[in-house]
Amino acid sequence: MSRLRGKTAVITGAANGIGLEAARTFKREGANVVIADFNEEAGKKAEEANPGVVFVRVDVSDRDSVDSLVQTVIDRFGTIDILINNAGITRDSMLSKMTSEQFQQVINVNLTGVFHCTQAVLPYMAEQGSGKIINTSSVTGTYGNVGQTNYAAAKAGVIGMTKTWAKELARKGINVNAVAPGFTETAMVAEVPEKVIEKMKAQVPMGRLGKPEDIANAYLFLASSESDYVNGHVLHVDGGIMM
Ligand code: CAA
Ligand code: NAI
């Protein structure tokens, strides 16, 4: 119950789904937890339901908004030890029909957002000589997926940035890793047509979708000192769909 005692963790996109489950898990393990999310209503609800967890509104695609988030966290807690770049969106469409706007929206949040948040926390982690950065990729980022040109590009890009930062930042005491979830039971997947879900389930050796806690537990491992010698890794948490 104390694997993260005294650590301050910023989890983006934590008002819902996987991030919210991670916020609960990290709080239970003794961390100061900041839910950094675009959705004010869900963020406030999450804050009320989880005493001690703090909500700060942010749009990760907007650099000024991210800088303001980081300043708020530093003013309140004095440090940022853990960053989980978990915020993400989908704008699914077949390539033949995908608009430039759909393409760009997903890149702005799922790829540029990860760049913004990591660059903004870097000076604080570098100064203290330690930090854990966990980026959320996806099975789509390595495997591809029908209807997800934009999302696959962003999630593959996240893996490229993870490995680059693992090399750049190790000497500053910062570990950078990625988690690549398979299809997981959240609002994001609720939008997927049932026939597609059935096709996906059939490909998972374990025969079920992931649960938010499956992913939150992987974040916890990578955020804790138990993973101090793990760097530049992509941890697939997908019931074995990616082998
Ligand atoms: N895998 C396999 N086949 C798929 C598929 C998928 N992911 N998505 C669509 N298809 C198939 C459909 O079953 C359909 O096949 P049939 O012609 O044999 O029926 C064909 O592709 C065309 O699909 P639609 O008729 O639905 O075409 P559309 O233009 O109306 O809609 C779409 C296209 C918006 C992409 C829609 O099919 C869709 O929403 N698909 C799901 C896409 C998906 O898997 N998104 C994942 C969201 S969750 C997430 O992103 C988390 C994560 O990291 C994995
Ligand atoms: P979700 O839709 O339940 O939660 C995503 C959260 O991100 C929401 O609270 C939303 O408000 C927030 N968000 C969206 N845009 C934002 C922005 N610009 N700034 C700040 N916050 C923003 O989704 P879920 O499933 O919990 O996804 C979490 C992460 O896991 C995402 O990066 C997603 O791509 C990834 N993922 C999800 C999978 C799944 O099957 N659910 C599979 C693989 C990866």
Side-chain angles (χ1 to χ4, degrees):
M1 296 298 244
S2 58
R3 289 158 76 188
L4 303 178
R5 188 170 305 285
K7 302 290 185 190
T8 297
V10 174
I11 309 176
T12 69
N16 292 289
I18 293 168
L20 179 55
E21 188 58 35
R24 292 195 191 108
T25 304
F26 279 34
K27 185 73 208 162
R28 213 168 49 230
E29 293 293 341
N32 302 316
V33 177
V34 178
I35 289 180
D37 202 290
F38 187 63
N39 184 332
E40 188 140 24
E41 197 186 330
K44 286 190 170 153
K45 215 169 124 190
E47 189 180 46
E48 275 164 29
N50 297 281
V53 165
V54 175
F55 166 64
V56 181
R57 187 176 181 279
V58 70
D59 176 356
V60 296
S61 68
D62 174 350
R63 184 53 197 257
D64 289 343
S65 174
V66 169
D67 286 344
S68 155
L69 158 74
V70 169
Q71 196 54 57
T72 304
V73 179
I74 294 297
D75 290 347
R76 174 131 189 185
F77 296 109
T79 178
I80 298 176
D81 303 292
I82 299 160
L83 170 67
I84 316 270
N85 281 309
N86 166 85
I89 59 168
T90 53
R91 295 288 183 270
D92 293 348
S93 173
M94 294 304 202
L95 173 62
S96 56
K97 296 187 210 160
M98 186 171 285
T99 63
S100 298
E101 195 186 11
Q102 284 174 318
F103 185 82
Q104 206 53 52
Q105 279 175 337
V106 170
I107 296 296
N108 289 348
V109 175
N110 296 12
L111 187 67
T112 312
V114 176
F115 163 70
H116 284 158
C117 293
T118 305
Q119 201 178 49
V121 303
L122 178 58
Y124 301 97
M125 289 187 176
E127 197 188 329
Q128 70 185 11
S130 66
K132 300 271 192 178
I133 296 171
I134 296 129
N135 298 327
T136 309
S137 181
S138 163
V139 60
T140 297
T142 43
Y143 197 69
N145 189 24
V146 173
Q148 294 205 291
T149 297
N150 45 6
Y151 187 89
K155 293 299 188 181
V158 162
I159 293 176
M161 295 198 298
T162 300
K163 292 182 178 178
T164 298
W165 298 337
K167 289 180 176 169
E168 272 189 35
L169 306 183
R171 69 189 67 187
K172 298 184 192 296
I174 302 169
N175 297 57
V176 188
N177 291 288
V179 172
F183 278 62
T184 305
E185 290 167 355
T186 69
M188 189 176 268
V189 161
E191 292 169 17
V192 176
E194 193 53 38
K195 62 180 176 183
V196 174
I197 295 288
E198 289 312 315
K199 278 187 199 172
M200 288 300 158
K201 263 193 208 163
Q203 290 176 49
V204 181
M206 291 184 70
R208 68 164 175 91
L209 300 189
K211 296 183 188 309
E213 54 264 39
D214 294 320
I215 315 306
N217 286 330
Y219 289 166
L220 174 60
F221 169 65
L222 292 172
S224 76
S225 59
E226 290 155 31
S227 60
D228 279 354
Y229 200 54
V230 181
N231 193 33
H233 187 69
V234 182
L235 181 51
H236 294 273
V237 184
D238 59 12
I241 198 172
M242 264 299 305
M243 282 193 269

